[in-house]
């Protein structure tokens, strides 16, 4: 379903997320880690390693 150069389509994307990603692919979109998770680009946000 996701093909073409520059395609930003995660393996686990639902149909609605895949449609949204395809629509937004031509635009610059800067996301925080939680926003990327909500958007469907990543599965989880890892905790900070500061102080470890």
């Amino acid at each position: 379903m996701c093909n073409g150069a520059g395609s930003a389509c995660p393996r686990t994307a639902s149909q609605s997320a895949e449609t949204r990603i395809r629509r937004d692919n031509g635009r610059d979109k800067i996301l925080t880690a939680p926003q990327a998770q909500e958007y469907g680009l990543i599965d989880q946000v890892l905790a900070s390693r500061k102080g470890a």
Side-chain angles (χ1 to χ4, degrees), residues 31-39 42 45:
L31 304 171
T32 63
Q35 289 172 328
Q37 183 178 18
E38 184 177 321
Y39 191 79
I42 60 176
V45 178

